[in-house]
Amino acid sequence: MDLTFSDAEAQFRDELRAWFENNDPGPMPEGEDASYAWRRDWQRRLADDRYAAVHWPEQYGGRGATITQSAIFFEELGRARRPLPANVLGILLAGPTIMTFGTDEQKDRYLAPILTAEEIWCQGFSEPDAGSDLAALKTRAVRDPAHPDEWVVTGQKVWTSGAQHSKWCMLVARTDFDAPKHKGLTYFLMDMEQPGVQVRPLVQITGEPEFNELFIEGARIPDENVLGGVGNGWKVALTTLMNERSGLAFFLQVRLRQLLDELIEEAAERGLLDDPVVADKLGYLHMKAEILRLTAYRGLTTIEKYGTPGPEGSLTKWMWSETNQELAQFAADLIGPDALTNGNRWAYELLRSRGNTIEGGTTEILKNIVAERVLGLPRLKGAA
C-alpha cells in the first residue's frame, strides 16, 4: 500500500481546497424541508463546476476522476466541513449502476437529472421480513396480461432513506417464483410519483424522519425501466451495494476525526486531559480513528489493483459505525448531564449514532461478509 500521492493528485487536492474555500453554502437552516432544499442548492453549485460527481465520466458531467482523486474529493469535502450532496444515493449508487448496466436511452434519460439534484433517488432493497438478506425479499413484480410490456409491483420496503424526497427508486423485486432465490430477481427503476406508491416516515429518536417505510400496491413499471435484464437483479444489485460501501469511507473517517478533535478540545476546556481514564479513552479512540483511515486507504489500494471494491468497504463501515457510537457515548459520559440538554450537539450525536449500525448494512451482515470473504469461514446456514 503506497500512501504517497502523485503530483497530479496533489494538484487536484489544492484545486479542491481553493474551490471549497470560495464556495460556502452557509449554515444549515433548521427544519427537514429547509435543510434538504439547502443541500439541493449546494449540489447544484457543485454540479455547475462539475464537482457533484467527480468520478463520473466527463461526457456525463463528471471529471473522469480516478478512484484516488474521488477519495481525495470526499476527504477534502469533509475537511472543509461542507455537506454531502442531497442526491448522494443517486450520485454514488444509481448513476454508476445505470452506467454499467443501462441502455443508451436509460443513460440519456436518467443521468443528467441525478447530477443536478433535479430528480432524487432512493434505494428499495431492504424488507421487513428479509432485513439485509436481499435474496429473501418478497416484493413481487408480474407482467400485466392486458399490457405485457408493463410490470405490476406489490410489496413493502423499509429503511428507505430519503424516499419522501425521491422521484425514482432503485427497486429489486422477485419476478421468477420458481427459480433459486438469488436468480429470480429483477432490478427496476420505479417512478415514485404514481398511484400505488406510499411513503410513511419512520421518525428516529432524534425526531428526524430520515428513514421510511415504502408500501407498494399495484404500482406499474414499463419494460423500458428494467435495468440489466429480467432475472439479473442479483448481479445488478451487488454492483449497487459495492459502490455503497466503498464511496463514503474517506468522508466518514474525516468527520470522525473532526468529532474526536472537538471532544479533545471539550475535555481540555474542562481540565480533564490529566485524568488517566480520560487520556486512556481518548488515546484508544485516536487509535481506532487511525485504523479506520488506514483501512480506507487499503480499500482504495484494492480497487486500484483489482478494479473492483473488496471487503474493506464492509470493514470500514463496521468500524466507523461502532467507533462513532463509542465516541458519542464517551462524550456524554465525559460531559455529564449537560450533554443531554436540548440544543447540546453531543445529545444529537449520541442519539443519531444509534442508527449507524443499522443503515447501509447492519453490523451482523457486515461481520458475515468479513468472516466468509476475509477469514474464509464457512457460509452461515440460512444467510444470503
PDB file of all heavy atoms in Angstrom, residues 339-366:
ATOM      1  N   ALA A 339     -24.599  17.222  28.606  1.00  0.00           N
ATOM      2  CA  ALA A 339     -24.537  16.696  27.239  1.00  0.00           C
ATOM      3  C   ALA A 339     -25.910  16.293  26.726  1.00  0.00           C
ATOM      4  O   ALA A 339     -26.097  16.121  25.514  1.00  0.00           O
ATOM      5  CB  ALA A 339     -23.597  15.494  27.174  1.00  0.00           C
ATOM      6  N   LEU A 340     -26.846  16.112  27.621  1.00  0.00           N
ATOM      7  CA  LEU A 340     -28.160  15.615  27.210  1.00  0.00           C
ATOM      8  C   LEU A 340     -29.234  16.696  27.206  1.00  0.00           C
ATOM      9  O   LEU A 340     -30.405  16.409  27.003  1.00  0.00           O
ATOM     10  CB  LEU A 340     -28.593  14.475  28.142  1.00  0.00           C
ATOM     11  CG  LEU A 340     -27.621  13.287  28.206  1.00  0.00           C
ATOM     12  CD1 LEU A 340     -28.139  12.224  29.152  1.00  0.00           C
ATOM     13  CD2 LEU A 340     -27.392  12.689  26.808  1.00  0.00           C
ATOM     14  N   THR A 341     -28.836  17.924  27.420  1.00  0.00           N
ATOM     15  CA  THR A 341     -29.819  19.014  27.387  1.00  0.00           C
ATOM     16  C   THR A 341     -30.132  19.387  25.952  1.00  0.00           C
ATOM     17  O   THR A 341     -29.323  19.180  25.042  1.00  0.00           O
ATOM     18  CB  THR A 341     -29.281  20.245  28.125  1.00  0.00           C
ATOM     19  OG1 THR A 341     -28.019  20.615  27.540  1.00  0.00           O
ATOM     20  CG2 THR A 341     -29.100  19.957  29.593  1.00  0.00           C
ATOM     21  N   ASN A 342     -31.325  19.909  25.754  1.00  0.00           N
ATOM     22  CA  ASN A 342     -31.751  20.313  24.416  1.00  0.00           C
ATOM     23  C   ASN A 342     -30.785  21.341  23.854  1.00  0.00           C
ATOM     24  O   ASN A 342     -30.385  22.276  24.529  1.00  0.00           O
ATOM     25  CB  ASN A 342     -33.160  20.913  24.466  1.00  0.00           C
ATOM     26  CG  ASN A 342     -34.213  19.847  24.654  1.00  0.00           C
ATOM     27  OD1 ASN A 342     -33.990  18.685  24.320  1.00  0.00           O
ATOM     28  ND2 ASN A 342     -35.356  20.224  25.191  1.00  0.00           N
ATOM     29  N   GLY A 343     -30.433  21.150  22.600  1.00  0.00           N
ATOM     30  CA  GLY A 343     -29.545  22.099  21.938  1.00  0.00           C
ATOM     31  C   GLY A 343     -28.078  21.733  22.056  1.00  0.00           C
ATOM     32  O   GLY A 343     -27.251  22.281  21.330  1.00  0.00           O
ATOM     33  N   ASN A 344     -27.709  20.808  22.952  1.00  0.00           N
ATOM     34  CA  ASN A 344     -26.317  20.390  23.032  1.00  0.00           C
ATOM     35  C   ASN A 344     -26.007  19.467  21.866  1.00  0.00           C
ATOM     36  O   ASN A 344     -26.690  18.466  21.657  1.00  0.00           O
ATOM     37  CB  ASN A 344     -26.057  19.675  24.369  1.00  0.00           C
ATOM     38  CG  ASN A 344     -24.577  19.389  24.581  1.00  0.00           C
ATOM     39  OD1 ASN A 344     -23.960  18.647  23.830  1.00  0.00           O
ATOM     40  ND2 ASN A 344     -24.011  20.010  25.609  1.00  0.00           N
ATOM     41  N   ARG A 345     -24.966  19.776  21.101  1.00  0.00           N
ATOM     42  CA  ARG A 345     -24.691  18.983  19.892  1.00  0.00           C
ATOM     43  C   ARG A 345     -24.356  17.526  20.207  1.00  0.00           C
ATOM     44  O   ARG A 345     -24.603  16.621  19.410  1.00  0.00           O
ATOM     45  CB  ARG A 345     -23.573  19.629  19.075  1.00  0.00           C
ATOM     46  CG  ARG A 345     -22.211  19.811  19.739  1.00  0.00           C
ATOM     47  CD  ARG A 345     -21.314  18.583  19.589  1.00  0.00           C
ATOM     48  NE  ARG A 345     -21.328  18.045  18.262  1.00  0.00           N
ATOM     49  CZ  ARG A 345     -20.446  18.416  17.331  1.00  0.00           C
ATOM     50  NH1 ARG A 345     -19.571  19.346  17.607  1.00  0.00           N
ATOM     51  NH2 ARG A 345     -20.465  17.828  16.160  1.00  0.00           N
ATOM     52  N   TRP A 346     -23.792  17.263  21.425  1.00  0.00           N
ATOM     53  CA  TRP A 346     -23.448  15.878  21.748  1.00  0.00           C
ATOM     54  C   TRP A 346     -24.687  15.032  21.991  1.00  0.00           C
ATOM     55  O   TRP A 346     -24.669  13.816  21.792  1.00  0.00           O
ATOM     56  CB  TRP A 346     -22.520  15.840  22.964  1.00  0.00           C
ATOM     57  CG  TRP A 346     -21.170  16.410  22.638  1.00  0.00           C
ATOM     58  CD1 TRP A 346     -20.656  17.594  23.077  1.00  0.00           C
ATOM     59  CD2 TRP A 346     -20.179  15.836  21.773  1.00  0.00           C
ATOM     60  NE1 TRP A 346     -19.413  17.800  22.542  1.00  0.00           N
ATOM     61  CE2 TRP A 346     -19.075  16.735  21.747  1.00  0.00           C
ATOM     62  CE3 TRP A 346     -20.107  14.662  21.023  1.00  0.00           C
ATOM     63  CZ2 TRP A 346     -17.935  16.494  20.991  1.00  0.00           C
ATOM     64  CZ3 TRP A 346     -18.963  14.420  20.270  1.00  0.00           C
ATOM     65  CH2 TRP A 346     -17.900  15.324  20.264  1.00  0.00           C
ATOM     66  N   ALA A 347     -25.782  15.670  22.439  1.00  0.00           N
ATOM     67  CA  ALA A 347     -27.024  14.909  22.594  1.00  0.00           C
ATOM     68  C   ALA A 347     -27.484  14.396  21.230  1.00  0.00           C
ATOM     69  O   ALA A 347     -27.899  13.237  21.080  1.00  0.00           O
ATOM     70  CB  ALA A 347     -28.109  15.794  23.212  1.00  0.00           C
ATOM     71  N   TYR A 348     -27.403  15.271  20.213  1.00  0.00           N
ATOM     72  CA  TYR A 348     -27.781  14.836  18.869  1.00  0.00           C
ATOM     73  C   TYR A 348     -26.850  13.729  18.380  1.00  0.00           C
ATOM     74  O   TYR A 348     -27.303  12.715  17.832  1.00  0.00           O
ATOM     75  CB  TYR A 348     -27.723  16.021  17.901  1.00  0.00           C
ATOM     76  CG  TYR A 348     -27.993  15.610  16.470  1.00  0.00           C
ATOM     77  CD1 TYR A 348     -29.300  15.482  16.013  1.00  0.00           C
ATOM     78  CD2 TYR A 348     -26.953  15.318  15.598  1.00  0.00           C
ATOM     79  CE1 TYR A 348     -29.569  15.063  14.720  1.00  0.00           C
ATOM     80  CE2 TYR A 348     -27.205  14.903  14.308  1.00  0.00           C
ATOM     81  CZ  TYR A 348     -28.511  14.787  13.860  1.00  0.00           C
ATOM     82  OH  TYR A 348     -28.760  14.361  12.577  1.00  0.00           O
ATOM     83  N   GLU A 349     -25.529  13.909  18.590  1.00  0.00           N
ATOM     84  CA  GLU A 349     -24.572  12.896  18.112  1.00  0.00           C
ATOM     85  C   GLU A 349     -24.850  11.542  18.768  1.00  0.00           C
ATOM     86  O   GLU A 349     -24.783  10.498  18.115  1.00  0.00           O
ATOM     87  CB  GLU A 349     -23.135  13.334  18.419  1.00  0.00           C
ATOM     88  CG  GLU A 349     -22.696  14.601  17.700  1.00  0.00           C
ATOM     89  CD  GLU A 349     -22.560  14.418  16.197  1.00  0.00           C
ATOM     90  OE1 GLU A 349     -22.549  13.268  15.736  1.00  0.00           O
ATOM     91  OE2 GLU A 349     -22.497  15.449  15.491  1.00  0.00           O
ATOM     92  N   LEU A 350     -25.158  11.570  20.078  1.00  0.00           N
ATOM     93  CA  LEU A 350     -25.421  10.312  20.796  1.00  0.00           C
ATOM     94  C   LEU A 350     -26.660   9.620  20.242  1.00  0.00           C
ATOM     95  O   LEU A 350     -26.653   8.402  19.991  1.00  0.00           O
ATOM     96  CB  LEU A 350     -25.601  10.597  22.280  1.00  0.00           C
ATOM     97  CG  LEU A 350     -25.885   9.380  23.171  1.00  0.00           C
ATOM     98  CD1 LEU A 350     -24.704   8.422  23.174  1.00  0.00           C
ATOM     99  CD2 LEU A 350     -26.222   9.816  24.595  1.00  0.00           C
ATOM    100  N   LEU A 351     -27.735  10.387  20.024  1.00  0.00           N
ATOM    101  CA  LEU A 351     -28.980   9.787  19.544  1.00  0.00           C
ATOM    102  C   LEU A 351     -28.850   9.333  18.090  1.00  0.00           C
ATOM    103  O   LEU A 351     -29.295   8.250  17.718  1.00  0.00           O
ATOM    104  CB  LEU A 351     -30.125  10.796  19.697  1.00  0.00           C
ATOM    105  CG  LEU A 351     -30.463  11.209  21.130  1.00  0.00           C
ATOM    106  CD1 LEU A 351     -31.560  12.264  21.136  1.00  0.00           C
ATOM    107  CD2 LEU A 351     -30.887  10.002  21.959  1.00  0.00           C
ATOM    108  N   ARG A 352     -28.240  10.167  17.240  1.00  0.00           N
ATOM    109  CA  ARG A 352     -28.134   9.822  15.818  1.00  0.00           C
ATOM    110  C   ARG A 352     -27.245   8.602  15.592  1.00  0.00           C
ATOM    111  O   ARG A 352     -27.474   7.806  14.682  1.00  0.00           O
ATOM    112  CB  ARG A 352     -27.584  11.017  15.035  1.00  0.00           C
ATOM    113  CG  ARG A 352     -27.441  10.754  13.519  1.00  0.00           C
ATOM    114  CD  ARG A 352     -28.784  10.437  12.893  1.00  0.00           C
ATOM    115  NE  ARG A 352     -28.691  10.055  11.484  1.00  0.00           N
ATOM    116  CZ  ARG A 352     -28.401   8.836  11.053  1.00  0.00           C
ATOM    117  NH1 ARG A 352     -28.154   7.851  11.950  1.00  0.00           N
ATOM    118  NH2 ARG A 352     -28.369   8.558   9.767  1.00  0.00           N
ATOM    119  N   SER A 353     -26.220   8.427  16.458  1.00  0.00           N
ATOM    120  CA  SER A 353     -25.288   7.315  16.257  1.00  0.00           C
ATOM    121  C   SER A 353     -25.950   5.958  16.462  1.00  0.00           C
ATOM    122  O   SER A 353     -25.426   4.935  16.031  1.00  0.00           O
ATOM    123  CB  SER A 353     -24.085   7.447  17.200  1.00  0.00           C
ATOM    124  OG  SER A 353     -24.465   7.218  18.553  1.00  0.00           O
ATOM    125  N   ARG A 354     -27.132   5.928  17.121  1.00  0.00           N
ATOM    126  CA  ARG A 354     -27.838   4.647  17.319  1.00  0.00           C
ATOM    127  C   ARG A 354     -28.174   3.993  15.983  1.00  0.00           C
ATOM    128  O   ARG A 354     -28.234   2.763  15.881  1.00  0.00           O
ATOM    129  CB  ARG A 354     -29.124   4.860  18.120  1.00  0.00           C
ATOM    130  CG  ARG A 354     -28.991   5.384  19.533  1.00  0.00           C
ATOM    131  CD  ARG A 354     -28.192   4.461  20.417  1.00  0.00           C
ATOM    132  NE  ARG A 354     -26.789   4.858  20.463  1.00  0.00           N
ATOM    133  CZ  ARG A 354     -25.840   4.179  21.050  1.00  0.00           C
ATOM    134  NH1 ARG A 354     -26.120   3.026  21.630  1.00  0.00           N
ATOM    135  NH2 ARG A 354     -24.594   4.598  21.041  1.00  0.00           N
ATOM    136  N   GLY A 355     -28.422   4.804  14.954  1.00  0.00           N
ATOM    137  CA  GLY A 355     -28.772   4.244  13.643  1.00  0.00           C
ATOM    138  C   GLY A 355     -27.581   3.810  12.816  1.00  0.00           C
ATOM    139  O   GLY A 355     -27.740   3.152  11.781  1.00  0.00           O
ATOM    140  N   ASN A 356     -26.361   4.126  13.269  1.00  0.00           N
ATOM    141  CA  ASN A 356     -25.172   3.835  12.463  1.00  0.00           C
ATOM    142  C   ASN A 356     -24.982   2.349  12.173  1.00  0.00           C
ATOM    143  O   ASN A 356     -24.498   1.972  11.105  1.00  0.00           O
ATOM    144  CB  ASN A 356     -23.907   4.357  13.170  1.00  0.00           C
ATOM    145  CG  ASN A 356     -23.844   5.870  13.258  1.00  0.00           C
ATOM    146  OD1 ASN A 356     -23.128   6.416  14.077  1.00  0.00           O
ATOM    147  ND2 ASN A 356     -24.612   6.576  12.419  1.00  0.00           N
ATOM    148  N   THR A 357     -25.321   1.505  13.159  1.00  0.00           N
ATOM    149  CA  THR A 357     -25.075   0.075  12.968  1.00  0.00           C
ATOM    150  C   THR A 357     -26.216  -0.630  12.240  1.00  0.00           C
ATOM    151  O   THR A 357     -26.192  -1.853  12.083  1.00  0.00           O
ATOM    152  CB  THR A 357     -24.835  -0.611  14.334  1.00  0.00           C
ATOM    153  OG1 THR A 357     -25.825  -0.155  15.268  1.00  0.00           O
ATOM    154  CG2 THR A 357     -23.459  -0.286  14.876  1.00  0.00           C
ATOM    155  N   ILE A 358     -27.212   0.153  11.791  1.00  0.00           N
ATOM    156  CA  ILE A 358     -28.317  -0.411  11.006  1.00  0.00           C
ATOM    157  C   ILE A 358     -28.228   0.048   9.552  1.00  0.00           C
ATOM    158  O   ILE A 358     -28.311  -0.744   8.621  1.00  0.00           O
ATOM    159  CB  ILE A 358     -29.675   0.021  11.601  1.00  0.00           C
ATOM    160  CG1 ILE A 358     -29.827  -0.495  13.027  1.00  0.00           C
ATOM    161  CG2 ILE A 358     -30.827  -0.483  10.719  1.00  0.00           C
ATOM    162  CD1 ILE A 358     -31.073   0.006  13.731  1.00  0.00           C
ATOM    163  N   GLU A 359     -28.059   1.355   9.353  1.00  0.00           N
ATOM    164  CA  GLU A 359     -28.077   1.924   7.998  1.00  0.00           C
ATOM    165  C   GLU A 359     -26.873   1.435   7.185  1.00  0.00           C
ATOM    166  O   GLU A 359     -25.804   1.195   7.723  1.00  0.00           O
ATOM    167  CB  GLU A 359     -28.053   3.447   8.080  1.00  0.00           C
ATOM    168  CG  GLU A 359     -26.829   3.981   8.811  1.00  0.00           C
ATOM    169  CD  GLU A 359     -26.970   5.438   9.189  1.00  0.00           C
ATOM    170  OE1 GLU A 359     -27.714   6.158   8.514  1.00  0.00           O
ATOM    171  OE2 GLU A 359     -26.338   5.863  10.179  1.00  0.00           O
ATOM    172  N   GLY A 360     -27.115   1.280   5.871  1.00  0.00           N
ATOM    173  CA  GLY A 360     -26.020   0.910   4.978  1.00  0.00           C
ATOM    174  C   GLY A 360     -25.486  -0.491   5.184  1.00  0.00           C
ATOM    175  O   GLY A 360     -24.336  -0.787   4.853  1.00  0.00           O
ATOM    176  N   GLY A 361     -26.316  -1.405   5.711  1.00  0.00           N
ATOM    177  CA  GLY A 361     -25.870  -2.767   6.005  1.00  0.00           C
ATOM    178  C   GLY A 361     -25.641  -2.923   7.497  1.00  0.00           C
ATOM    179  O   GLY A 361     -24.799  -2.229   8.070  1.00  0.00           O
ATOM    180  N   THR A 362     -26.385  -3.829   8.131  1.00  0.00           N
ATOM    181  CA  THR A 362     -26.252  -3.992   9.579  1.00  0.00           C
ATOM    182  C   THR A 362     -24.891  -4.590   9.926  1.00  0.00           C
ATOM    183  O   THR A 362     -24.243  -5.251   9.109  1.00  0.00           O
ATOM    184  CB  THR A 362     -27.344  -4.918  10.138  1.00  0.00           C
ATOM    185  OG1 THR A 362     -27.126  -6.235   9.611  1.00  0.00           O
ATOM    186  CG2 THR A 362     -28.735  -4.436   9.756  1.00  0.00           C
ATOM    187  N   THR A 363     -24.473  -4.363  11.165  1.00  0.00           N
ATOM    188  CA  THR A 363     -23.180  -4.897  11.610  1.00  0.00           C
ATOM    189  C   THR A 363     -23.147  -6.420  11.492  1.00  0.00           C
ATOM    190  O   THR A 363     -22.117  -7.003  11.137  1.00  0.00           O
ATOM    191  CB  THR A 363     -22.923  -4.466  13.070  1.00  0.00           C
ATOM    192  OG1 THR A 363     -22.738  -3.044  13.074  1.00  0.00           O
ATOM    193  CG2 THR A 363     -21.688  -5.126  13.642  1.00  0.00           C
ATOM    194  N   GLU A 364     -24.280  -7.082  11.764  1.00  0.00           N
ATOM    195  CA  GLU A 364     -24.309  -8.547  11.689  1.00  0.00           C
ATOM    196  C   GLU A 364     -24.012  -9.031  10.261  1.00  0.00           C
ATOM    197  O   GLU A 364     -23.254  -9.985  10.053  1.00  0.00           O
ATOM    198  CB  GLU A 364     -25.688  -9.061  12.137  1.00  0.00           C
ATOM    199  CG  GLU A 364     -25.957  -8.920  13.631  1.00  0.00           C
ATOM    200  CD  GLU A 364     -26.312  -7.497  14.036  1.00  0.00           C
ATOM    201  OE1 GLU A 364     -26.534  -6.664  13.135  1.00  0.00           O
ATOM    202  OE2 GLU A 364     -26.344  -7.210  15.245  1.00  0.00           O
ATOM    203  N   ILE A 365     -24.616  -8.369   9.265  1.00  0.00           N
ATOM    204  CA  ILE A 365     -24.372  -8.756   7.877  1.00  0.00           C
ATOM    205  C   ILE A 365     -22.919  -8.472   7.489  1.00  0.00           C
ATOM    206  O   ILE A 365     -22.255  -9.282   6.823  1.00  0.00           O
ATOM    207  CB  ILE A 365     -25.326  -7.989   6.940  1.00  0.00           C
ATOM    208  CG1 ILE A 365     -26.765  -8.478   7.125  1.00  0.00           C
ATOM    209  CG2 ILE A 365     -24.909  -8.153   5.478  1.00  0.00           C
ATOM    210  CD1 ILE A 365     -27.007  -9.919   6.735  1.00  0.00           C
ATOM    211  N   LEU A 366     -22.397  -7.330   7.916  1.00  0.00           N
ATOM    212  CA  LEU A 366     -21.019  -6.976   7.573  1.00  0.00           C
ATOM    213  C   LEU A 366     -20.036  -7.974   8.188  1.00  0.00           C
ATOM    214  O   LEU A 366     -19.032  -8.341   7.574  1.00  0.00           O
ATOM    215  CB  LEU A 366     -20.720  -5.559   8.048  1.00  0.00           C
ATOM    216  CG  LEU A 366     -21.588  -4.465   7.417  1.00  0.00           C
ATOM    217  CD1 LEU A 366     -21.256  -3.107   8.011  1.00  0.00           C
ATOM    218  CD2 LEU A 366     -21.412  -4.429   5.905  1.00  0.00           C
TER     219      LEU A 366
END
